[in-house]
């Protein structure tokens, strides 16, 4: 198994072969979740720092469980309760952590480029768990893995990203990943939530969800930050929900076997009608399970195969 | 005419080799170079055929003193000016405290004369509003009397159109030109890079190019309505250039500046979250660069400025969004401009106009036209001396330039202000 990377900062770091390597390994690790003893010794003695300078439930827990299932030790650090809160800059915090010799650092930060910045100053593996609006490569990998588990092939498949594209690191990483896998991509949002340069993305662009949903194989709903209304991007959350929330009428326009995804956390009734989030077409909880398997695969690859080892 | 006290020998001025004779800080004669000429007792500098340029004038620099001397102080900033070929620089008011009252202006002038009594000379720019708050006019007469040569809210654009109008009107009393930071702060929406491909790719908030053009439009309308000149700072976009060109054709009294970095580098420099290329306004598209180059060569842009904005290394060594805006420019300005001459975008006459004659005229500073009676502000520049930009070679405390590590053609060999040598490269 070949893994030439020292860090995972964006999906663009990965080739299609790399992505399939992660999927293959994740498939093996996913099976562990169903064993009575969910633990393997693969990373025994390794230490992983979880540096989450932005609130997170599923990603942080997912990395924590993934590391522990492979017997690595994890250490958590959050913005609050750390020296960052006392005004220490990110560089000094990171160098302090490095002096404790972790094998990998998983970073979540509100600032785009924070992971790339740390990769330049740290000698351990850096895994980006989401930076600003920029990238969330492990989310894209788990979304890909999730659909890989239900689709025989990515060819001829169409995925729609529905919601706030402009401010979404998930959208950026999903577009990169699924484009590499050969999936046809659509995005749909009000124009105020589409980035200025969207015409340069390898996607079909829609502002009308009725047109956008027609014939698609999967829909990834994206979270709307409710404060977007205050910044003048939307007239009201109500109107947004009425037009852009995924609802049964829109679902009728898709392929019959359509899959619904949402990276979470969900605003039920805003991005998606609650009944659809819980329906048989929904992969939302599968995404969470897939996340653990994908992150186990990544930690395994970085901590046993990476050139820094 | 006074007897010469010193001379610059064998320098190239307007395609011929000349000897320049100087007395009491002024040029007294300019003769064809003659190696056999006996200069007797005169102090002589031999230019060895290097170009002679009038002392450059930077109408837009940030010196950080008082308040942030760790980034730059007046002494280090003036040393960088000397090393860069500048004889006069104008420093913006966004110090801490802000230069919105006579004591700050006087403090800056005192520090300048104490550390560089023979130049380069410092000319403070007073704040347009108290504390740069954009809410209340600063005392313009007091600032003028203390020694300010212009007024600006640079760094924090004035959003209130009414206050801006009143500032422009009131500035005519003390006779200080208004320099406006062209950015509609509501529309720029805290963007840290140019909005478009780069903001999309890096996931950073983008600043739309028309945030600048909107403020340029406002300023053109105000200047036309009041028939009072307004100077437009650090222009960076095609839209702005088109508006300024049309306004000038219509006789509106606006003038404009841009910086070498907007003529050389585009938004691609920011890729990889390169904080050395983080500047406000942000580096724009290649199309904007080409438009600005044309505007500079055609005179739509009146002057070049550095917008020298030094920062400490540890401040730029941060995630992009958290790093401060600014490029350190005094040390490298002339070498960067020379690359435009090598690219045949500008000629040497343009260089003299953009960096010396035009800013002197705009801000009523001394102009050296290389004739008897001109102040002897002379930059000796060797176009054949190429150099690699390294931190140790920059006199500014700010080492924050995208040209760090790049090879540049042409370098200042020596700098004379009012007939005194203020810098000579070892």
């Amino acid at each position: 198994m070949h893994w030439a990377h020292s860090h995972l900062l964006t999906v663009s770091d990965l080739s299609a072969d790399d992505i399939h390597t992660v999927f293959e390994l994740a498939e093996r690790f996913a099976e562990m979740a169903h064993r009575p003893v969910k633990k393997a010794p693969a990373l025994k003695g390794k230490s992983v720092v979880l540096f989450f300078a932005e609130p997170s439930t599923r990603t942080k827990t997912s990395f924590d469980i993934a590391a522990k299932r492979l017997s690595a030790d994890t250490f958590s650090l959050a913005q609050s309760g750390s020296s960052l809160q006392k005004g220490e800059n990110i560089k000094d915090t990171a160098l302090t952590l490095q002096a404790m010799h972790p094998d990998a650092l998983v970073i979540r930060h509100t600032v785009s480029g924070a992971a790339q910045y740390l990769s330049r100053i740290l000698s351990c593996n850096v895994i980006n768990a989401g930076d600003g609006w920029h990238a969330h490569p492990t989310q894209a990998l788990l979304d890909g893995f999730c659909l890989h588990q239900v689709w025989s092939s990515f060819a001829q498949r169409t995925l729609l990203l529905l919601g706030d594209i402009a401010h979404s690191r998930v959208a950026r990483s999903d577009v990169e990943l699924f484009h590499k896998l050969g999936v046809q991509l659509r995005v749909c949002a009000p124009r105020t939530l589409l980035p200025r340069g969207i015409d340069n993305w390898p996607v079909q662009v829609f502002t009308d969800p009725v047109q956008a949903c027609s014939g698609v194989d999967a829909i990834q709903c994206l979270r709307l930050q409710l404060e977007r209304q205050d910044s003048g991007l939307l007239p009201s959350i109500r109107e947004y929900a009425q037009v852009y929330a995924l609802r049964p009428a829109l679902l009728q326009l898709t392929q019959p076997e359509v899959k619904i995804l949402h990276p979470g956390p969900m605003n039920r009734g805003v991005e998606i009608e609650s009944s659809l989030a819980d329906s048989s077409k929904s992969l939302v909880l599968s995404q969470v399970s897939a996340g653990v398997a994908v992150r186990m695969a990544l930690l395994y690859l970085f901590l046993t195969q990476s050139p820094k080892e | 005419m006074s007897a010469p006290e010193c001379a610059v020998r064998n320098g190239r001025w307007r395609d011929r080799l000349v000897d320049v004779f100087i007395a009491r800080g002024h040029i007294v004669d300019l003769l064809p170079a003659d190696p056999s000429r006996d200069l007797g007792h005169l102090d002589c500098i031999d230019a060895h055929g290097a170009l002679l340029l009038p002392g450059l004038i930077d109408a837009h620099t940030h010196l950080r003193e008082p308040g942030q001397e760790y980034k730059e102080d007046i002494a280090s900033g003036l040393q960088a000016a000397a090393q860069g070929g500048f004889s006069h620089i104008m420093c913006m008011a966004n110090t801490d405290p802000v230069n919105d009252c006579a004591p700050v202006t006087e403090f800056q002038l005192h520090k300048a004369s104490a550390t560089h009594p023979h130049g380069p000379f410092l000319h403070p720019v007073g704040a347009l509003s108290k504390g740069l708050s954009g809410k209340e006019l600063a005392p313009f007469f007091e600032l003028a009397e203390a020694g300010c040569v212009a007024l600006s809210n640079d760094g924090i654009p004035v959003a209130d159109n009414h206050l801006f109008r009143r500032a422009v009107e009131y500035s005519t009393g003390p006779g200080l030109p208004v320099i406006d930071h062209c950015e509609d702060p509501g529309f720029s929406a805290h963007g840290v890079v140019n909005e478009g491909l780069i903001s999309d790719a890096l996931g950073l908030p983008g600043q739309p190019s028309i945030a600048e053009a909107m403020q340029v439009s406002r300023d053109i309308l105000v200047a036309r309505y009041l028939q009072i000149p307004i100077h437009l700072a650090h222009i960076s976009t095609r839209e702005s250039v088109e508006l300024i060109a049309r306004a000038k054709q219509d006789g509106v009294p606006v003038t404009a500046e841009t910086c070498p970095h907007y003529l050389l580098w585009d938004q691609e420099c920011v890729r990889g979250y390169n904080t050395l290329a983080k500047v406000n306004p942000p580096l724009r598209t290649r199309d904007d660069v080409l438009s600005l180059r044309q505007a500079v060569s055609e005179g739509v842009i009146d002057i070049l400025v550095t917008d020298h904005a030094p920062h400490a290394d540890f401040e730029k060594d941060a995630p992009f969004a958290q790093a401060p805006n600014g490029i350190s420019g005094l040390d490298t300005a002339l070498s960067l401009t020379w690359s435009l001459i090598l690219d045949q975008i500008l000629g040497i006459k343009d260089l003299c106009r953009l960096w010396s004659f035009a800013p002197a005229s705009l801000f009523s500073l001394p102009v050296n036209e290389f004739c008897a009676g001109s102040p002897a502000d002379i930059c000796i520049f060797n176009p054949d001396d190429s150099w690699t930009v390294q931190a140790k070679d920059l006199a500014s405390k700010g080492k924050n330039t995208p040209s760090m590590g790049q090879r540049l053609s042409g370098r200042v060999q020596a700098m004379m202000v009012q007939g005194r040598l203020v810098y000579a490269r070892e």
Side-chain angles (χ1 to χ4, degrees):
Chain A
M1 194 169 293
H2 179 66
W3 191 253
H5 306 285
S6 301
H7 310 290
L8 178 58
L9 306 176
T10 72
V11 171
S12 58
D13 298 342
L14 305 175
S15 66
D17 284 347
D18 290 329
I19 294 166
H20 285 294
T21 297
V22 174
F23 289 173
E24 281 168 33
L25 202 51
E27 223 150 21
R28 284 154 54 188
F29 285 132
E31 179 269 328
M32 268 180 66
H34 306 291
R35 293 185 198 165
V37 178
K38 302 175 180 61
K39 203 149 180 107
L43 300 183
K44 194 169 171 57
K46 302 286 186 185
S47 50
V48 177
V49 169
L50 306 177
F51 181 9
F52 277 63
E54 184 188 270
S56 166
T57 303
R58 68 197 68 212
T59 305
K60 186 176 175 189
T61 311
S62 181
F63 267 109
D64 201 9
I65 289 177
K68 283 176 173 149
R69 282 200 178 152
L70 294 174
S71 302
D73 298 312
T74 61
F75 303 88
S76 288
L77 183 78
Q79 172 109 18
S80 59
S82 76
S83 292
L84 286 169
Q85 205 172 24
K86 297 179 188 171
E88 185 173 68
N89 66 32
I90 186 175
K91 179 181 182 179
D92 289 329
T93 303
L95 291 176
T96 302
L97 291 171
Q98 171 153 298
M100 299 176 200
H101 303 290
D103 297 290
L105 183 136
V106 178
I107 167 86
R108 157 74 61 95
H109 205 282
T110 51
V111 171
S112 297
Q116 186 161 339
Y117 174 75
L118 290 187
S119 74
R120 287 201 294 258
I121 61 172
L122 298 182
S123 55
C124 66
N125 304 121
V126 174
I127 298 175
N128 185 3
D131 60 329
W133 303 346
H134 174 228
H136 197 349
T138 65
Q139 177 70 45
L141 283 163
L142 76 86
D143 292 336
F145 178 59
C146 205
L147 289 172
H148 167 75
Q149 288 181 305
V150 294
W151 287 345
S152 54
S153 158
F154 289 106
Q156 309 299 318
R157 297 289 189 178
T158 303
L159 169 68
L160 167 66
L161 302 170
L162 176 65
D164 183 356
I165 309 294
H167 307 97
S168 172
R169 55 192 172 215
V170 176
R172 284 175 173 77
S173 290
D174 273 356
V175 166
E176 268 197 285
L177 183 119
F178 285 104
H179 181 61
K180 284 187 180 192
L181 295 175
V183 173
Q184 293 170 39
L185 287 154
R186 297 180 185 180
V187 297
C188 179
R191 195 66 189 83
T192 50
L193 297 180
L194 290 171
R196 165 123 173 107
I198 190 73
D199 293 341
N200 297 296
W201 293 26
V203 298
Q204 279 184 285
V205 180
F206 296 86
T207 52
D208 177 357
V210 172
Q211 291 176 15
C213 287
S214 175
V216 299
D217 297 290
I219 300 173
Q220 166 91 306
C221 300
L222 295 172
R223 195 170 82 88
L224 180 75
Q225 283 189 296
L226 300 179
E227 63 269 26
R228 297 289 170 222
Q229 184 193 346
D230 299 334
S231 50
L233 295 166
L234 302 168
S236 70
I237 299 299
R238 177 173 174 267
E239 179 168 293
Y240 177 85
Q242 285 177 338
V243 180
Y244 289 97
L246 187 63
R247 54 190 186 278
L250 290 174
L251 220 56
Q252 285 178 0
L253 307 169
T254 64
Q255 294 293 338
E257 297 302 312
V258 69
K259 303 298 177 197
I260 300 168
L261 299 96
H262 193 304
M266 276 188 286
N267 295 306
R268 286 176 185 258
V270 176
E271 301 113 21
I272 184 167
E273 273 200 22
S274 190
S275 61
L276 294 184
D278 301 328
S279 74
S280 61
K281 295 180 187 301
S282 169
L283 295 180
V284 172
L285 293 177
S286 302
Q287 285 173 281
V288 178
S289 304
V292 175
V294 161
R295 286 165 182 135
M296 287 171 78
L298 288 167
L299 288 171
Y300 180 82
L301 288 167
F302 277 107
L303 295 178
T304 66
Q305 310 289 311
S306 153
K308 287 210 165 180
E309 277 295 298
Chain B
M1 187 180 293
S2 306
E5 295 158 1
C6 63
V8 177
R9 299 193 67 168
N10 206 26
R12 187 170 295 278
W13 169 248
R14 292 194 174 153
D15 294 329
R16 60 191 181 116
L17 287 175
V18 296
D19 295 335
V20 183
F21 297 91
I22 296 160
R24 295 184 182 179
H26 289 76
I27 293 171
V28 291
D29 211 351
L30 192 83
L31 297 173
D34 179 358
S36 65
R37 182 178 290 130
D38 180 11
L39 297 181
H41 63 284
L42 290 184
D43 279 341
C44 282
I45 301 168
D46 194 330
H48 298 292
L51 279 178
L52 303 184
L53 298 169
L56 309 190
I57 294 173
D58 187 9
H60 190 144
T61 189
H62 298 268
L63 289 190
R64 311 301 187 201
E65 186 175 7
Q68 293 182 311
E69 289 81 355
Y70 68 96
K71 293 175 192 265
E72 187 84 291
D73 56 36
I74 286 169
S76 63
L78 287 173
Q79 192 55 41
Q83 199 162 309
F86 292 90
S87 48
H88 298 269
I89 62 173
M90 291 162 54
C91 61
M92 289 294 162
N94 61 340
T95 48
D96 183 14
V98 168
N99 183 15
D100 60 2
C101 59
V104 178
T105 309
E106 287 161 359
F107 167 82
Q108 290 183 323
L109 289 171
H110 168 74
K111 291 288 274 196
S113 63
T115 59
H116 289 75
H118 305 302
F121 295 110
L122 183 66
H123 305 277
V125 175
L128 205 66
S129 64
K130 285 180 191 164
L132 299 178
S133 65
K135 291 178 180 160
E136 229 182 322
L137 295 185
F140 294 175
F141 283 94
E142 176 184 318
L143 289 167
E145 193 176 331
C148 287
V149 297
L151 299 161
S152 181
N153 237 55
D154 187 65
I156 308 179
V158 176
D160 182 333
N161 296 332
H162 176 71
L163 184 94
F164 184 71
R165 173 224 169 128
R166 295 308 181 203
V168 173
E169 287 176 320
Y170 194 68
S171 71
T172 58
L176 297 183
V178 167
I179 302 170
D180 193 31
H181 175 132
C182 297
E183 175 189 339
D184 180 324
F187 201 74
S188 60
H190 311 297
V192 296
V193 291
N194 189 44
E195 184 175 75
L197 283 178
I198 286 293
S199 60
D200 287 357
L202 300 183
L204 292 168
Q207 187 176 126
S209 58
I210 59 169
E212 177 180 295
M214 284 181 166
Q215 201 86 329
V216 167
S217 303
R218 190 257 325 242
D219 291 358
I220 289 169
L221 290 170
V222 172
R224 184 166 69 181
Y225 183 67
L226 300 175
Q227 283 300 304
I228 299 172
I230 297 173
H231 180 72
L232 310 174
H234 41 54
I235 294 303
S236 69
T237 72
R238 175 180 284 279
E239 294 98 331
S240 300
V241 164
E242 288 170 355
L243 288 165
I244 294 163
R246 202 172 314 139
K248 286 187 163 189
Q249 278 172 6
D250 294 345
V252 180
V254 287
T255 52
E257 65 184 40
T258 192
C259 314
H261 42 265
Y262 300 118
L263 297 168
L264 291 171
W265 301 313
D266 62 35
Q267 58 182 357
E268 292 298 322
C269 290
V270 170
R271 281 204 194 273
Y273 298 99
N274 178 12
T275 59
L276 293 180
K278 186 182 179 194
V279 64
N280 188 32
L283 296 178
R284 306 289 190 178
T285 66
R286 202 66 206 160
D287 178 61
D288 292 307
V289 171
L290 296 176
S291 169
L292 281 160
R293 286 179 170 206
Q294 191 176 347
V296 164
S297 66
E298 291 176 352
V300 173
I301 299 287
D302 300 85
I303 66 171
L304 291 177
V305 299
T306 63
D307 195 3
H308 175 71
H311 293 290
D313 289 348
F314 71 85
E315 293 172 313
K316 282 287 194 180
D317 186 10
F320 193 88
Q322 294 175 335
N325 290 308
I327 289 172
S328 179
L330 284 168
D331 287 278
T332 52
L334 193 47
S335 299
L336 294 176
T337 310
W338 192 254
S339 71
L340 296 168
I341 288 181
L342 295 177
D343 289 347
Q344 299 185 315
I345 308 296
L346 299 176
I348 295 174
K349 277 186 183 172
D350 297 318
L351 186 153
C352 296
R353 168 175 56 84
L354 290 158
W355 273 121
S356 187
F357 304 153
S361 163
L362 267 177
F363 299 105
S364 306
L365 299 175
V367 57
N368 172 17
E369 291 179 313
F370 275 95
C371 58
S374 290
D377 298 341
I378 301 172
C379 168
I380 301 172
F381 181 77
N382 183 352
D384 299 324
D385 185 1
S386 65
W387 59 299
T388 300
V389 180
Q390 298 178 79
K392 68 179 176 59
D393 295 329
L394 305 183
S396 170
K397 290 184 185 178
K399 315 299 181 189
N400 47 304
T401 165
S403 61
M404 190 62 69
Q406 283 186 8
R407 195 136 188 95
L408 303 182
S409 290
R411 196 170 188 186
V412 174
Q413 299 298 299
M415 183 62 205
M416 184 178 267
V417 180
Q418 293 189 351
R420 287 179 188 264
L421 195 64
V422 295
Y423 167 71
R425 201 160 83 74
E426 290 170 3

